[in-house]
C-alpha cells in the first residue's frame, strides 16, 4: 500500500505513520528524518540543508525529489510505503505522480493554536526519532532506546510560526491538488482516536 500523509507540521503525521507502519507492514519514509540524517554529515549539501531546516524553510524541490525517488527504490519499499512530509509542494506532488502510483492521501487536520501548543512541548529522540510530548515524558528519556530527548531547533517558537506560514503558502495548495482523493481525519483527540478511522479506512482499501 502506498500512502501519502498530508498535514501541517505538528499535526501528528509522524505518530500516525508509525502506527500504520506497525500494523500494515510498510515503512515510514519521513523526508524530515532523511534530512536530519544528512545534516549529521560534513558536506556542502549537509551545510545547506542545515541552514534551511533551522530557518523552517523548504529544501529545494530538485534535491528533495531526487532523495525520495532514490529511497523508494530500496528493497523495503517493494510492498509499499507511507510518505510522511512529502510532497510538500505542488511541484513535488507532480514529480511523485511520475515515479509512484499512490493508493491514498490522508489529510491530518488540526487547528493552528493546538499545533503551536503541541510543537512547543514536542521532544524527539535524536537516536531513533521517536516523538514524545513533554507532558507524557517529564524525564525526557526515550522509552525505546534510553537516549536523552532533545527539542528540535525548528520546534522553537520563533521557527514554528514560519513553518506554519510555509505550510499555508506551499503545502496547503496540495489539498486542492488531491481534491476528491483525500481521506480527512482530525487529530484533535488522542493518537489512538486519530488512528482508528484511518485503520478502518485502510483495512477496507486493502480488502
Ligand atoms: P519535518 O520533520 O517533516 O517537519 O521536516 C523538517 C524540515 O525538513 C522541514 O521544515 C524542511 O526544512 C525539511 N523538509 C522535510 N520534508 C521536506 C520536503 N518534502 N520538501 C522540502 N523540505 C522538506
Amino acid at each position: 500500500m502506498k500512502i501519502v500523509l498530508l498535514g501541517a507540521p505538528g499535526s501528528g503525521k509522524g505518530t500516525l505513520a508509525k502506527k500504520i507502519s506497525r500494523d500494515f507492514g510498510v515503512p515510514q519514509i519521513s523526508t524530515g528524518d532523511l534530512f536530519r540524517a544528512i545534516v549529521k554529515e560534513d558536506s556542502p549539501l549537509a551545510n545547506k540543508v542545515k541552514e534551511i531546516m533551522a530557518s523552517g524553510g523548504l529544501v529545494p524541490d530538485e534535491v528533495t525529489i531526487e532523495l525520495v525517488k532514490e529511497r523508494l527504490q530500496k528493497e523495503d519499499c517493494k510492498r509499499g510505503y507511507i510518505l510522511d512530509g512529502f510532497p510538500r509542494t505542488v511541484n513535488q506532488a507532480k514529480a511523485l505522480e511520475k515515479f509512484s502510483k499512490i493508493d491514498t492521501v490522508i489529510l491530518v487536520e488540526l487547528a493552528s493554536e493546538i499545533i503551536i501548543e503541541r510543537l512547543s512541548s514536542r521532544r524527539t529522540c535524536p537516536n531513533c526519532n521517536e516523538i514524545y510530548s513533554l507532558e507524557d515524558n517529564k524525564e525526557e528519556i526515550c522509552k525505546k532506546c534510553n537516549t536523552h530527548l532533545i527539542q528540535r531547533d525548528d520546534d522553537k517558537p520563533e521557527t514554528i510560526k514560519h513553518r506554519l506560514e510555509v505550510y499555508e503558502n506551499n503545502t496547503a495548495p496540495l489539498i486542492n491538488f488531491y481534491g476528491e482523493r483525500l481521506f480527512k481525519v482530525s487529530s484533535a483527540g488522542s493518537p489512538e482516536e486519530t488512528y482508528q478511522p484511518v485503520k478502518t479506512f485502510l483495512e477496507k482499501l486493502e480488502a
Side-chain angles (χ1 to χ4, degrees), residues 30-46:
S30 153
T31 38
D33 287 348
L34 294 176
F35 285 133
R36 276 183 286 280
I38 287 176
V39 301
K40 286 182 186 159
E41 297 162 8
D42 184 21
S43 69
L45 175 66

Side-chain angles (χ1 to χ4, degrees), residues 84-95:
D84 163 15
F86 181 92
R88 252 172 157 107
T89 65
V90 172
N91 252 344
Q92 292 179 10
K94 286 182 177 163

Side-chain angles (χ1 to χ4, degrees), residues 31-32 35-36 53 57-59 64 85-86 88 92 152 154 163:
T31 38
F35 285 133
R36 276 183 286 280
M53 287 179 86
L58 293 181
V59 178
T64 310
F86 181 92
R88 252 172 157 107
Q92 292 179 10
R152 279 167 46 178
D154 58 350
R163 289 168 72 203

